[in-house]
């Protein structure tokens, strides 16, 4: 916590304001989640994982300066550029920082915001509601996407 605070990553008011002009960092939180995989029932609503990708951010100016090019590459590898117009919702990392959010939003727009879009792209960021749960942040994002699909 001291290191993150010294690096200017933590919100001074304890609130993560993702995609907000008042963004000043993220709030730390704790969380736990579980994903249960089971065979699909033809009558039940199901979600299909079409693709995934993992990538390190690569070279950047500092720990708090994201690499937009690396983020675009990751998004393209996850589904391939031809599927970008079919994506209906994205749960972004959304740290609530003045540098990170615009960089991430720019990467999302470059990959998923082109002329191939036939429907709006819903973008969410759970950190604005629950903070950065760090180790469990992937589970929080997955739970949010599930909520969107069930709505």
């Amino acid at each position: 916590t001291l290191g993150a605070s010294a690096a200017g990553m933590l919100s001074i008011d304890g609130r993560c304001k993702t995609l907000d002009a008042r963004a000043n960092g993220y709030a730390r939180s704790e969380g736990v989640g579980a994903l249960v995989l089971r065979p699909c029932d033809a009558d039940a609503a199901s979600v299909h994982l079409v693709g995934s990708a993992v990538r390190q951010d690569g070279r950047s100016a500092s720990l708090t300066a994201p690499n937009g090019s690396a983020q675009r590459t990751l998004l393209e590898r996850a589904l391939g550029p031809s599927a970008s117009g079919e994506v209906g919702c994205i749960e972004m990392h959304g740290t609530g920082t003045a540098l990170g959010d615009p960089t991430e939003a720019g990467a999302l727009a470059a990959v998923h915001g082109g002329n191939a879009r036939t429907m709006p792209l819903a973008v969410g960021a759970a950190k604005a509601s629950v903070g950065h749960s760090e180790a469990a942040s992937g589970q929080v994002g997955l739970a949010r996407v599930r909520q969107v699909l069930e709505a």
Side-chain angles (χ1 to χ4, degrees):
T1 299
L2 292 175
S5 181
M9 299 185 305
L10 298 182
S11 171
I12 58 170
D13 59 6
R15 298 206 174 261
C16 183
K17 296 175 271 313
T18 303
L19 297 174
D20 188 317
R22 300 169 298 149
N24 62 1
Y26 69 87
R28 297 184 85 184
S29 69
E30 296 292 332
V32 63
L35 175 64
V36 178
L37 299 175
R38 62 177 183 230
C40 288
D41 179 355
D43 296 329
S46 63
V47 175
H48 300 276
L49 179 63
V50 178
S52 66
V54 175
R55 181 179 171 97
Q56 197 271 344
D57 205 34
R59 287 190 176 268
S60 59
S62 72
L63 174 65
T64 61
N67 182 329
S69 176
Q71 290 183 9
R72 286 189 300 278
T73 300
L74 174 67
L75 291 165
E76 289 168 350
R77 284 188 184 166
L79 296 175
S82 62
S84 65
E86 300 172 26
V87 174
C89 68
I90 290 183
E91 179 69 20
M92 64 184 285
H93 190 60
T95 57
T97 60
L99 182 58
D101 287 354
T103 301
E104 185 177 7
L108 289 171
V111 175
H112 295 290
N115 294 332
R117 291 217 63 80
T118 58
M119 61 182 170
L121 177 64
V123 178
K127 283 180 188 63
S129 299
V130 299
H132 189 358
S133 51
E134 297 176 5
S137 62
Q139 289 290 337
V140 172
L142 197 56
R144 288 269 301 205
V145 169
R146 182 172 177 227
Q147 285 177 329
V148 167
L149 293 173
E150 289 177 346

